[in-house]
Each structure stands twice: as C-alpha cells, then as structure tokens.
Amino acid sequence: MQMKRLLKHVFTTRAQLKQAFSTSTLRDIEAAIKASESEHSGELRFAVETALDPLAIIRGESSRARAVDLFSSLRIWDTEHNCGLLIYVLLADRAVEIVADRGIHAKVGEAEWARICHQMEAAFRQKDFRGGMLAGIKSVTQHLKAHFPASIGDQNELSNRPVVLG
C-alpha cells in the first residue's frame, strides 16, 4: 500500500493542483472565508498541498499529521480566543483534514469534523473541488456561528488567503 501511495504522490503534479484549485476557485474560497468570518468570531485558514515529499511517504506521514504540522507552522493556534481552524486538502490522497483549536474542538468534536471532511472528499471524487470547498466552509461556518457568535470589535487575526503548497 505504501508503494501505491508513494506513486500517487510522485505523479500528482502542480498542474493538477492548478486545475482542481484554479485562481478563480481560490478567490472564491478566500471570499467565502471572509464572509464566514463576518458571522462568527472564529478564524479560518485553508491550505492545499499537491503531494507530500517521498521521504514523508516512506516514513508513513499521514495527511492528519501534515495538517497538524501546518496548523502549527501557520500559527493558527495563535488566536486571542483559541478559535482558529484549518481546512487542509492533500490533493494526491484526495484527503481533507480539519484541525480546530482547542476552544472550537471542545464544542464541536471530532465526529462532526470527520462528517464535514467526508462530504468534501465525496465532492472531490466527483471533481467538484470548488463546490466541495464552499460547502465545507458553509458547514464549518454553521458550527462557528452557534458556538462563537460574532461580537463587536472582532478583528481578522489570520489571513483569509488560501495557502497553496507545491
């Protein structure tokens, strides 16, 4: 199985990423994040990565481990109210991971994040990357509105711009 995964990662290209997440799709995702954050006090980030390095695959790195690493390196945990959330897509695996800061995770929980990820992955299998992402952001927004309503003086602590990794 590791060899099959390794080959998927080696042969998934930047061109495939650009086809799945075009400039206009990335702009739509950025706009959806901005609109979402106007409805709650959470901070969303989106990151998409073409593939993992072959050594990471050989070491057995999972998409979840990579998402947690990015959550840290992008400093999503560093929000005033512990309300940061990352939606991470690993294109080679067609995997979606949601990593939520402890303030959010305590209220929503792993099962609900997994449900949203599975819905997005189903859309991706149909090659509907834009629709899957926008639906995922909408689902996340509903939870954040319920548990972290917008308040006067909320500031945008994290960039809304998608992170695209080779």
Side-chain angles (χ1 to χ4, degrees):
M1 184 59 109
Q2 188 175 351
M3 182 56 79
K4 184 178 176 182
R5 184 172 184 233
L6 177 65
L7 291 173
K8 277 196 309 187
H9 282 257
V10 167
F11 291 109
T12 301
T13 66
R14 179 89 171 165
Q16 290 170 302
L17 183 132
K18 287 183 178 184
Q19 184 177 16
F21 291 94
S22 67
T23 301
S24 66
T25 296
L26 293 172
R27 274 195 303 265
D28 290 345
I29 292 168
E30 184 175 359
I33 290 171
K34 182 178 181 180
S36 170
E37 289 181 352
S38 72
E39 299 184 44
H40 55 75
S41 60
E43 288 291 328
L44 284 118
R45 288 298 316 256
F46 166 67
V48 59
E49 189 161 25
T50 305
L52 297 178
D53 181 86
L55 289 176
I57 300 299
I58 292 167
R59 286 191 312 265
E61 185 173 349
S62 67
S63 57
R64 181 70 183 178
R66 178 64 175 146
V68 170
D69 181 52
L70 285 172
F71 185 86
S72 175
S73 65
L74 294 172
R75 299 182 60 92
I76 297 168
W77 54 268
D78 194 18
T79 59
E80 184 176 353
H81 300 290
N82 297 318
C83 58
L85 182 137
L86 172 67
I87 301 173
Y88 170 72
V89 174
L90 180 54
L91 189 63
D93 288 343
R94 296 290 196 269
V96 178
E97 300 288 345
I98 294 176
V99 181
D101 211 334
R102 63 188 169 271
I104 296 172
H105 187 72
K107 303 229 185 226
V108 178
E110 195 61 42
E112 187 56 22
W113 298 137
R115 184 190 68 75
I116 295 168
C117 290
H118 293 310
Q119 286 180 331
M120 294 169 68
E121 290 166 350
F124 293 173
R125 282 191 295 276
Q126 302 299 315
K127 306 233 184 277
D128 184 10
F129 295 94
R130 181 186 177 280
M133 274 307 305
L134 296 180
I137 291 168
K138 184 176 181 180
S139 293
V140 166
T141 300
Q142 296 309 311
H143 288 291
L144 294 177
K145 281 173 51 175
H147 299 292
F148 296 91
S151 61
I152 296 173
D154 276 346
Q155 294 190 15
N156 190 19
E157 296 179 70
L158 302 174
S159 173
N160 298 333
R161 177 167 290 167
V163 176
V164 179
L165 304 163

